[in-house]
Amino acid sequence: MNKKLMAVAIAGALAAPGFAFAQASSVTISGLFKVGFDNLKYTNETPAVTRLNNSQSRIVDNSSRILFNSVEDLGNGLSAVAQLDVRFSPDQASTIQTSNPIGSGNSWVGIKSNAFGMVRMGRFDLHYGHAPSDLTNRAGALQAATTSLFDYIGQTPIANATRTQNVIKYDSPNWSGFTGSIAYSTNPVGNSEQDMLNTASIVGQQSITPGAAPGFAAIGAPLVAGAANVPGGPNTNRRGYGYNTNPEYTNGPFQIGWSHWFAKPDAPIATTNDQRGDSVYGYWKFGELKIGLGWNRSELKNSNSETMVARRDAWSLPVAYNMGPNSFYAHYTKALKISSDVAVLNNTNTSNTGAQMFAFTYEYNLSKRTALGLTYAQIKNDDNANYNFFTSNSLGSTDATPGFGAKLQLLQATIFHAF
């Protein structure tokens, strides 16, 4: 529940002569604390991964945040709007400038019209997270999100699996249940060599050349086939960009939506990839029961040759049921095997590259703002896959990366408090 901290009427003159006006503005502070105590267990890895402990107990943050929202009434149905989203980790100290930079969440500024919608510029969550699951909304473990499989190709995130930078975004008003957004980024993934993951992060357990070691060199080499595919080729100085379109229609207990994502990195090198993703999702409510369904197709294409390096389909079936202060959430999510137009990858490293995931949360709501949750989740990887729980590396242990074929199990008790 938001608490209005300040509402002041401003009257007077600005420093520049001739600008005198009176406007109403307000600043609201809100946010949430969400922290869990969990156990994370790894089995069936081939080869075995060396880590501190294959059964880890952790105190983990679940993306706690403080939100500062500003609204100024400009008259005639117009408002100036802004948000600063500060992420922090209550379980440990952190350096603000690096691991938890100010504004690392959804932070933006823009103009809102009651009749025509809203235009904003800043950082936004785009495309990822559209499987219609409510499991993580309150006290369900964030690590158990459908995003774990739905928005990754192996270890490569689609649409960053976090906020996209450098965005201008338009959101429509609600037209009889129809809403939509269009977002454009001038640089969605940063410099290709630093931020756009290469093919080696998709697959890599098996060597594709006798005697070759798994990884970047072995898998990237077949893509280098002429000047167009090497540094200095015709696309070296290309300007990157990305966009997302996301129409939705909601009518009473029913919703259906589609999200389309496309992104190109700046200055691509031989082994960087362009991204495309499409998600179709929806739900239907039957009283206190909600059943959803989501489907996703994600692709990586070589930035220079436009060869389809990897394509992965996934689907998710989430359910939710409320009974007084008790809430029950579950989802079954499956990532199918990777396919490729690169002959040396297809049917070699792409076989047995799928995974399946199940998650269940029981939540007890102490109030509208506070809840306790208990989550159990499991990911079972195929022999050549190593999908991971969402945010397990960034918000959990530093050695929480699974090996190929891993079976992961998570049990977490979580407290959620919004303010």
Side-chain angles (χ1 to χ4, degrees):
M1 183 178 77
N2 295 348
K3 296 181 178 178
K4 187 165 293 186
L5 301 181
M6 179 175 61
V8 291
I10 302 174
L14 296 178
F19 289 88
F21 62 95
Q23 300 288 352
S25 63
S26 65
V27 176
T28 302
I29 299 179
S30 62
L32 62 91
F33 290 83
K34 186 174 180 180
V35 182
F37 173 69
D38 72 21
N39 179 264
L40 179 62
K41 184 181 296 185
Y42 308 82
T43 56
N44 297 349
E45 295 168 303
T46 305
V49 174
T50 301
R51 59 171 62 88
L52 295 176
N53 197 326
N54 286 335
S55 180
Q56 304 181 22
S57 294
R58 315 176 300 176
I59 302 294
V60 292
D61 174 50
N62 282 246
S63 200
S64 301
R65 67 201 68 174
I66 302 175
L67 302 175
F68 298 85
N69 286 92
S70 175
V71 178
E72 182 183 19
D73 185 359
L74 302 175
N76 298 318
L78 291 177
S79 301
V81 293
Q83 176 173 287
L84 175 62
D85 182 349
V86 181
R87 303 296 170 101
F88 65 96
S89 299
D91 58 310
Q92 59 184 339
S94 60
T95 303
I96 290 178
Q97 289 79 8
T98 55
S99 61
N100 278 322
I102 293 176
S104 62
N106 290 278
S107 299
W108 39 261
V109 63
I111 300 293
K112 179 180 179 181
S113 165
N114 294 337
F116 300 105
M118 182 163 47
V119 177
R120 297 172 290 171
M121 292 186 290
R123 291 167 52 87
F124 297 87
D125 288 313
L126 298 179
H127 182 65
Y128 83 102
H130 276 303
S133 172
D134 296 333
L135 186 145
T136 62
N137 287 1
R138 283 169 61 86
L142 179 63
Q143 291 80 7
T146 55
T147 305
S148 306
L149 269 57
F150 205 73
D151 297 295
Y152 281 82
I153 301 181
Q155 289 290 306
T156 300
I158 300 301
N160 304 300
T162 187
R163 267 71 57 197
T164 298
Q165 61 190 5
N166 306 305
V167 172
I168 179 168
K169 185 172 186 277
Y170 167 74
D171 296 281
S172 76
N174 190 319
W175 291 308
S176 300
F178 174 83
T179 58
S181 65
I182 301 174
Y184 178 85
S185 173
T186 58
N187 185 11
V189 291
N191 179 270
S192 60
E193 295 186 61
Q194 295 177 348
D195 298 321
M196 196 64 162
L197 300 185
N198 58 61
T199 311
S201 67
I202 308 165
V203 291
Q205 182 188 14
Q206 303 174 12
S207 298
I208 57 178
T209 304
F216 179 89
I219 297 175
L223 303 180
V224 182
N229 295 331
V230 298
N235 287 333
T236 299
N237 296 320
R238 183 186 70 180
R239 296 179 180 178
Y241 68 91
Y243 62 86
N244 174 230
T245 57
N246 184 202
E248 286 184 348
Y249 177 73
T250 306
N251 187 350
F254 169 78
Q255 184 188 82
I256 188 168
W258 169 55
S259 179
H260 173 70
W261 164 262
F262 183 81
K264 290 186 174 184
D266 283 337
I269 58 175
T271 52
T272 54
N273 301 308
D274 300 342
Q275 291 189 352
R276 172 173 175 162
D278 290 279
S279 295
V280 179
Y281 56 92
Y283 65 77
W284 195 290
K285 293 181 179 179
F286 304 88
E288 295 299 321
L289 176 65
K290 178 181 178 182
I291 300 177
L293 183 64
W295 171 85
N296 170 269
R297 169 168 288 179
S298 296
E299 295 181 351
L300 301 177
K301 286 189 175 182
N302 180 264
S303 298
N304 289 284
S305 69
E306 297 188 359
T307 302
M308 198 274 288
V309 175
R311 175 187 291 135
R312 189 271 304 126
D313 288 354
W315 59 271
S316 183
L317 177 65
V319 295
Y321 181 72
N322 295 310
M323 186 174 61
N326 305 284
S327 298
F328 304 88
Y329 305 98
H331 71 81
Y332 177 80
T333 303
K334 185 174 180 63
L336 304 182
K337 83 176 189 72
I338 296 169
S339 60
S340 176
D341 286 344
V342 181
V344 74
L345 292 181
N346 203 23
N347 297 321
T348 305
N349 284 45
T350 60
S351 61
N352 298 314
T353 50
Q356 52 187 326
M357 178 180 183
F358 169 77
F360 173 81
T361 289
Y362 165 69
E363 184 177 275
Y364 184 76
N365 296 286
L366 297 167
S367 71
K368 291 183 178 180
R369 294 185 295 155
T370 304
L372 304 176
L374 183 64
T375 300
Y376 174 78
Q378 179 186 109
I379 293 177
K380 186 176 181 181
N381 285 287
D382 291 347
D383 290 344
N384 291 331
N386 62 339
Y387 286 93
N388 199 1
F389 288 122
F390 183 51
T391 74
S392 197
N393 290 108
S394 59
L395 299 179
S397 303
T398 56
D399 61 348
T401 300
F404 288 93
K407 178 181 177 181
L408 291 75
Q409 298 181 78
L410 175 76
L411 181 64
Q412 183 176 129
T414 312
I415 183 168
F416 169 91
H417 175 70
F419 60 93

